[in-house]
Amino acid sequence: MKRSKKILFQEFIARKGLKSTRQRGTVLESFLSSDNHMSTEDLYLKVREKNPNIGYATVYRTLKLFAEAGIAREIHFGDGQTRYEHVAEGEHHDHLICTRCGAVTEFENETIERLQSEIAGQFGFVVEKHKLELYGICPKCRK
Ligand SMILES: [Zn+2]
Ligand SMILES: [Zn+2]
Ligand SMILES: [Zn+2]
C-alpha cells in the first residue's frame, strides 16, 4: 500500500530531527488540497486564509522541505516563477502551458514517451528523466 504524503513527510521530518510544527501542518494541508502547479505566492495566499500568522518565509521554506522530502516537485515554465506540484510516486505527466493566462494542463501520451526513449537510445543514451512543455494558447483564450 502506498503511504500517504502526510506520513512520508512526517517520516522525513523525524529523520531530519526537525520538530513537526502546527504551522508546517497547515502549509501541508493547504498544499495537498490545492491545485497542482502552485507558486509560493499562490500557496501563501491560501495558507493565510487558514492562519494569517504564517509568514511568507515559512511557506517558502516549507515548500523547499516538501521538495526535499520527495512529496513536491519544483517546476519552471520559463517565466521566472517557481511552481510546485504534488509528486505521486511512479507517476509522470507532461504539460501544456497557455502563454496568455498561464493555465497549465497535464497530459500523458505513451507514444511520445516511447519515442523519446527510442531517440535517446539512438544516441546511446539512457533517459533518467525528462520534461516536455508545449506552449501555446488555451481554448479559453482563443475565444
Ligand atoms: Zn513525458
Ligand atoms: Zn489561456
Ligand atoms: Zn503537472
Side-chain angles (χ1 to χ4, degrees):
M1 214 185 78
K2 216 150 64 179
R3 273 168 306 172
S4 78
K5 293 197 174 72
K6 244 188 207 168
I7 291 174
L8 285 174
F9 188 63
Q10 277 162 11
E11 288 173 353
F12 169 82
I13 288 291
R15 264 204 315 279
K16 292 269 282 185
L18 296 169
K19 277 186 305 194
S20 100
T21 65
R22 209 195 182 83
Q23 293 203 342
R24 270 197 210 113
T26 304
V27 177
L28 184 62
E29 298 272 326
S30 303
F31 178 66
L32 293 177
S33 67
S34 65
D35 284 347
N36 240 336
H37 320 114
M38 275 200 140
S39 67
T40 309
E41 282 78 9
D42 294 337
L43 185 62
Y44 171 61
L45 293 176
K46 238 193 124 175
V47 165
R48 277 195 60 132
E49 287 169 17
K50 284 192 186 163
N51 183 348
N53 296 320
I54 299 179
Y56 181 87
T58 303
V59 174
Y60 177 85
R61 279 196 306 266
T62 308
L63 270 170
K64 294 271 175 205
L65 279 179
F66 293 167
E68 217 187 302
I71 61 165
R73 183 165 37 213
E74 279 189 20
I75 39 173
H76 302 269
F77 292 141
D79 58 359
Q81 180 87 269
T82 303
R83 291 181 176 77
Y84 291 85
E85 65 180 5
H86 317 162
V87 183
E89 239 181 276
E91 251 178 48
H92 170 77
H93 62 256
D94 291 301
H95 295 114
L96 292 158
I97 301 129
C98 178
T99 52
R100 296 225 178 128
C101 72
V104 178
T105 307
E106 302 183 338
F107 72 93
E108 157 116 69
N109 182 297
E110 276 182 32
T111 310
I112 291 179
E113 297 296 319
R114 203 182 51 241
L115 266 174
Q116 288 179 143
S117 308
E118 278 177 29
I119 292 164
Q122 287 166 14
F123 291 90
F125 233 81
V126 177
V127 179
E128 288 175 338
K129 61 177 180 181
H130 74 269
K131 47 183 185 175
L132 179 61
E133 287 153 14
L134 305 180
Y135 293 86
I137 299 162
C138 78
K140 248 196 218 157
C141 293
R142 284 181 55 208
K143 270 185 204 144

